[in-house]
């Protein structure tokens, strides 16, 4: 098998550093460059924590990186605004993006899908790379056919920028696809503290918790007469996301289409 040449954007982040480990420890992956808003012009081995990784340059400008470096895949684990720019720029340079950043708008996703079609290149945007989280979303969609009342509680570390999480939004979208729209709760319900009932998506309520000590957790609560059903997933470290990143990189090399959500590439 030919090596897949990979650029990682955001290597010093908690997810990015795990992705560097994944790529350097996978036989058919080759880390050819990184993109970082600091350390431009340095080698990755000169950056604290990466001394054992030789011959990998660091760029701050993705355009320059893509002109200098031959690559197959860009793994982006940055922020929504930067991730969108990186994904578009990668596609324009015939490099396939695998993006784990959440917070993309519907317009962003449509723009990337159009660009993939024009370039005939694959792109995978995954709100969550943990295989267990993807199964949680799939199981929730199955349950929603039988339980019309549902609330989503997502819990993340207090440095997360977007709320609700991309996983919670994706879960709500998947549930909405099989569930008839329903306004939940009492018709005369009133919040005595604004936001107490959380955000609302198609009648469902989504609650976001942000606390130090958490990584990434979500539970989907279903209720009906005389019973409840809880479907929950917990990620206790960021290594839990790397199996999904590996699958996404391998799959994007075979696909020439836009994919939103890891569930669409798992058997």
């Amino acid at each position: 098998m030919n090596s897949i040449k990979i650029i990682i954007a955001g290597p010093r982040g908690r997810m990015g550093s795990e992705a560097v480990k994944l790529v350097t420890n996978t036989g058919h992956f080759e880390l050819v460059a990184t993109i970082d808003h600091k350390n431009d012009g340095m080698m990755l081995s000169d950056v604290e924590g990466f001394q054992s990784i030789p011959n990998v340059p660091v760029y701050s400008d993705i355009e320059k990186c893509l002109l200098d470096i031959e690559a197959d895949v860009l793994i982006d684990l940055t922020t929504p605004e930067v991730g969108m720019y990186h994904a578009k720029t990668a596609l324009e340079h015939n490099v396939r993006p695998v993006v784990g950043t959440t917070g993309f708008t519907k317009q962003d996703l449509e723009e990337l899908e159009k660009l993939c079609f024009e370039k005939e290149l694959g792109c995978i945007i995954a709100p969550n790379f943990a295989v267990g989280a993807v199964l949680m979303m799939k199981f929730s969609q199955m349950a929603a056919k039988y339980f019309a009342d549902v609330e989503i509680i997502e819990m993340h570390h207090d440095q997360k920028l977007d709320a609700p999480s991309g996983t919670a939004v994706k879960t709500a979208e998947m549930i909405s696809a099989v569930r008839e729209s329903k306004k939940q709760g009492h018709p005369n319900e009133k919040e005595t503290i604004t936001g107490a009932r959380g955000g609302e998506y198609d009648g469902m309520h989504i609650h976001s918790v942000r606390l130090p000590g958490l990584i990434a957790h979500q539970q989907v609560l279903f209720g009906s007469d005389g019973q409840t059903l809880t479907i929950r997933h917990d990620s206790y470290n960021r290594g839990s996301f790397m199996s999904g990143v590996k699958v996404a990189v391998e799959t994007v090399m075979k696909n020439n289409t836009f994919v939103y959500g890891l569930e669409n590439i798992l058997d």
Side-chain angles (χ1 to χ4, degrees):
M1 179 185 293
N2 293 331
S3 291
I4 300 173
K5 294 178 169 50
I6 298 170
I7 297 169
I8 294 176
R12 290 183 299 106
R14 295 175 206 177
M15 281 282 286
S17 60
E18 289 292 338
V20 170
K21 291 178 192 174
L22 169 73
V23 172
T24 55
N25 291 328
T26 301
H28 58 289
F29 288 0
E30 181 184 354
L31 182 62
V32 293
T34 60
I35 300 170
D36 186 5
H37 66 91
K38 292 183 177 180
N39 306 311
D40 184 48
M42 296 175 62
M43 300 301 287
L44 190 61
S45 57
D46 297 325
V47 178
E48 185 178 356
F50 300 102
Q51 289 86 351
S52 63
I53 302 173
N55 306 319
V56 176
V58 181
Y59 290 83
S60 290
D61 184 345
I62 187 173
E63 289 271 6
K64 186 174 190 314
C65 178
L66 293 171
L67 288 171
D68 289 353
I69 302 294
E70 180 183 342
D72 301 306
V73 174
L74 168 73
I75 298 175
D76 185 275
L77 301 163
T78 57
T79 65
E81 297 79 12
V82 175
M84 179 64 184
Y85 172 65
H86 283 174
K88 284 177 59 180
T89 306
L91 286 167
E92 288 163 357
H93 286 79
N94 298 310
V95 174
R96 299 164 187 259
V98 169
V99 183
T101 307
T102 64
F104 286 96
T105 66
K106 184 178 180 182
Q107 183 179 350
D108 290 337
L109 298 175
E110 289 172 350
E111 187 175 349
L112 289 175
E113 184 172 18
K114 180 182 177 184
L115 190 53
C116 285
F117 178 78
E118 292 170 354
K119 300 291 288 186
E120 297 184 344
L121 286 173
C123 170
I124 296 175
I125 309 291
N128 199 315
F129 278 117
V131 172
V134 175
L135 292 173
M136 175 264 298
M137 290 188 277
K138 280 179 166 282
F139 296 157
S140 296
Q141 187 178 47
M142 292 170 60
K145 295 178 183 178
Y146 306 97
F147 291 83
D149 290 273
V150 53
E151 303 215 1
I152 299 169
I153 304 173
E154 58 92 350
M155 297 154 281
H156 283 80
H157 55 91
D158 60 347
Q159 299 304 300
K160 185 169 178 58
L161 298 177
D162 56 318
S165 69
T167 300
V169 173
K170 181 64 174 175
T171 305
E173 290 172 349
M174 290 173 66
I175 289 172
S176 185
V178 300
R179 167 187 173 273
E180 189 173 334
S181 294
K182 179 182 179 182
K183 178 77 172 176
Q184 295 180 186
H186 194 283
N188 298 323
E189 180 179 85
K190 179 182 178 181
E191 289 183 334
T192 56
I193 298 178
T194 301
R197 292 289 287 121
E200 187 176 318
Y201 184 98
D202 199 22
M204 294 174 275
H205 290 274
I206 303 176
H207 310 267
S208 296
V209 177
R210 298 291 178 266
L211 287 172
L214 297 172
I215 299 293
H217 317 261
Q218 180 170 297
Q219 59 185 36
V220 186
L221 307 176
F222 295 91
S224 68
D225 187 26
Q227 62 177 321
T228 61
L229 172 66
T230 301
I231 301 173
R232 178 173 175 129
H233 176 263
D234 298 275
S235 282
Y236 297 107
N237 61 56
R238 289 169 179 82
S240 64
F241 302 112
M242 292 304 112
S243 59
V245 174
K246 182 175 183 290
V247 170
V249 169
E250 292 168 341
T251 303
V252 81
M253 289 298 296
K254 304 170 190 173
N255 282 4
N256 293 322
T257 57
F258 176 80
V259 175
Y260 175 53
L262 199 66
E263 73 280 358
N264 295 304
I265 64 171
L266 295 180
D267 293 333

